[in-house]
Amino acid sequence: MTIEAAVQVLRRYEGTFNANDAEGMNALFWEDSTFVNFSGSVSTNRDDLLAKQRFVFGANGPLHNVSVLYQLEQTIELAQSFVQVVARQRTRGNDDPAQDPMHGVVILTWSSARTNGAFAPDRTHR
């Protein structure tokens, strides 16, 4: 059940990304999460991450109206209540990774022991 629940969090993440829903996406993170974006900018708490999410999804932000698809590649059960989800990120409709600016690998670490099914992403991109 833990692996299935972690994959469902990935699907919620994809949905909030595609809806440009900074608050909804931010609610998926633990308060003390670490998040590293494509450019290498690091956020170590939800407040900082929310400010960055609002910027990138905002009307003039670089991810405004960008639609992505996460293709599950692997789940790794690290311990009884900890799962890593490895997924390939692509722009919806773009099948050529070499021509896709959103192509990358996302690694999310999820714990059923933490509150409300949130994850502590260790996000790594190509």
Side-chain angles (χ1 to χ4, degrees):
M1 184 64 169
T2 300
I3 288 175
E4 182 180 318
V7 172
Q8 288 305 311
V9 174
L10 174 68
R11 296 296 165 230
R12 288 172 46 205
Y13 183 84
E14 179 180 349
T16 59
F17 187 112
N18 291 334
N20 289 168
D21 181 2
E23 286 77 10
M25 180 180 281
N26 192 264
L28 297 173
F29 291 82
W30 299 341
E31 180 58 42
D32 58 349
S33 294
T34 299
F35 183 93
V36 181
N37 71 9
F38 272 105
S39 64
S41 177
V42 178
S43 294
T44 57
N45 64 69
R46 282 179 44 192
D47 290 340
D48 182 50
L49 180 57
L50 180 57
K52 292 175 181 177
Q53 289 166 325
R54 285 178 175 158
F55 168 74
V56 297
F57 290 134
N60 295 316
L63 299 179
H64 183 70
N65 290 331
V66 171
S67 184
V68 296
L69 174 67
Y70 291 98
Q71 298 169 327
L72 183 64
E73 294 204 348
Q74 185 175 16
T75 56
I76 305 161
E77 192 165 13
L78 302 173
Q80 185 174 359
S81 63
F82 284 88
V83 175
Q84 276 194 332
V85 175
V86 180
R88 186 147 314 268
Q89 177 181 284
R90 296 239 167 96
T91 303
R92 253 182 221 283
N94 188 331
D95 294 327
D96 182 0
Q99 300 300 316
D100 186 355
M102 295 301 295
H103 179 248
V105 172
V106 177
I107 301 171
L108 308 171
T109 304
W110 183 86
S111 171
S112 62
R114 296 295 292 253
T115 59
N116 77 354
F119 50 67
D122 170 11
R123 270 190 110 207
T124 309
H125 292 63
R126 175 184 72 94

